Amino acid sequence: MSHLRASQLTRRVFLAGLPLTLAACASAGRSAPPAVRAVNVVDPFYASMYRAIQDEPFPVPAIDVSQVDPRFLRQEVEFTGPESAGDIVVDPSRRFLYLVRENGRALRYGCGVGQAGFDYEGDAVIARKAEWPRWTPTQNMIRREPERYGPFAGGMEGGLDNPLGARALYLFKNGRDTLYRIHGTNEPWSIGQSVSSGCIRLFNQDIIDLHRRVPTGTRVTVLTHGARHRTREALV
């Protein structure tokens, strides 16, 4: 249904718009960072966007953008689809999250998504927002891996080691918690990967940005993995 076409980043437009508890969101296995990618030329614009953030309760480390596929860096793109401005669309197949804007545009964020069998699909609403959220593994996670998750059955306070990272957006459907979140991550290498227990993770710098932009009540659509017809993109 959606037809998305990425365009070149318009810095002037994007810069003007810059700044305006849980469940199943840890990595599904003991994944290690993938092999180091070829180093990209560092664009100062992106280096600044993903710089360290010092004015947080827990200072956020900088992201080494030379090690990130440029597709997964925050950028403005063309967007044509039925969603309204302010809606969020997640495309798990391509590892992108879109915040729909006016005039056929969207902000696109690279994301990490759930492994097959652990991911969420369908519509939801952001019913709650949290800064440096507390994390609690689900009972299913504890049953699957009691040695790993059992020690955290009582929850983990927010911080740099917390799997939810700097912010979390809690997804509800029909008034009930889906147990899925859009959140930050303490594993920045996982952006662009399919490794989590189902939640949608962003770089901490990106979830801080998204958290500022969206209110509770924001509509979210998570596409099915096979929904290529909804998410065709062509670089301009």
Side-chain angles (χ1 to χ4, degrees):
M1 290 184 290
S2 296
H3 178 69
L4 309 176
R5 295 172 301 172
S7 70
Q8 292 178 331
L9 175 66
T10 304
R11 292 192 183 189
R12 182 175 301 171
V13 173
F14 189 74
L15 280 170
L18 264 174
L20 291 197
T21 26
L22 181 70
C25 289
S27 296
R30 296 182 182 278
S31 304
V36 175
R37 303 180 181 92
V39 175
N40 302 309
V41 175
V42 176
D43 184 330
F45 174 70
Y46 285 120
S48 176
M49 182 184 294
Y50 292 99
R51 67 186 183 278
I53 303 175
Q54 302 294 342
D55 58 348
E56 286 281 326
F58 306 93
V60 176
I63 301 297
D64 182 358
V65 294
S66 72
Q67 299 296 318
V68 179
D69 186 324
R71 293 178 300 160
F72 299 123
L73 299 175
R74 189 192 330 156
Q75 54 197 281
E76 186 172 271
V77 299
E78 291 182 3
F79 181 99
T80 304
E83 291 80 14
S84 301
D87 290 352
I88 289 174
V89 179
V90 180
D91 182 350
S93 295
R94 291 198 166 104
R95 318 290 197 259
F96 293 142
L97 180 150
Y98 299 87
L99 175 59
V100 182
R101 306 185 86 173
E102 301 283 356
N103 302 317
R105 311 293 292 178
L107 292 184
R108 190 181 76 188
Y109 303 79
C111 64
V113 298
Q115 290 182 328
F118 291 94
D119 48 350
Y120 179 79
E121 297 174 346
D123 298 325
V125 171
I126 295 172
R128 181 185 166 210
K129 299 166 54 178
E131 300 184 9
W132 296 102
R134 181 181 176 83
W135 172 73
T136 303
T138 63
Q139 291 302 310
N140 283 339
M141 294 172 72
I142 294 171
R143 280 193 292 270
R144 285 197 309 268
E145 298 185 69
E147 292 185 0
R148 183 181 185 193
Y149 294 119
F152 302 105
M156 177 189 288
E157 295 299 326
L160 292 176
D161 293 331
N162 189 298
L164 294 186
R167 304 285 190 274
L169 307 173
Y170 295 73
L171 303 186
F172 281 57
K173 185 167 186 175
N174 299 324
R176 300 185 64 178
D177 191 351
T178 66
L179 301 183
Y180 291 93
R181 320 290 185 230
I182 301 171
H183 64 90
T185 181
N186 57 11
E187 298 173 329
W189 56 265
S190 67
I191 301 304
Q193 306 295 316
S194 178
V195 296
S196 77
S197 293
C199 294
I200 302 151
R201 54 176 65 187
L202 308 181
F203 291 122
N204 276 325
Q205 284 84 346
D206 283 346
I207 192 62
I208 290 171
D209 180 81
L210 182 63
H211 181 274
R212 289 193 192 107
R213 295 178 187 274
V214 298
T216 57
T218 295
R219 292 178 294 182
V220 179
T221 299
V222 182
L223 306 179
T224 65
H225 276 274
R228 292 290 184 176
H229 64 286
R230 288 203 59 183
T231 56
R232 290 190 299 268
E233 291 189 41
L235 291 174
V236 176

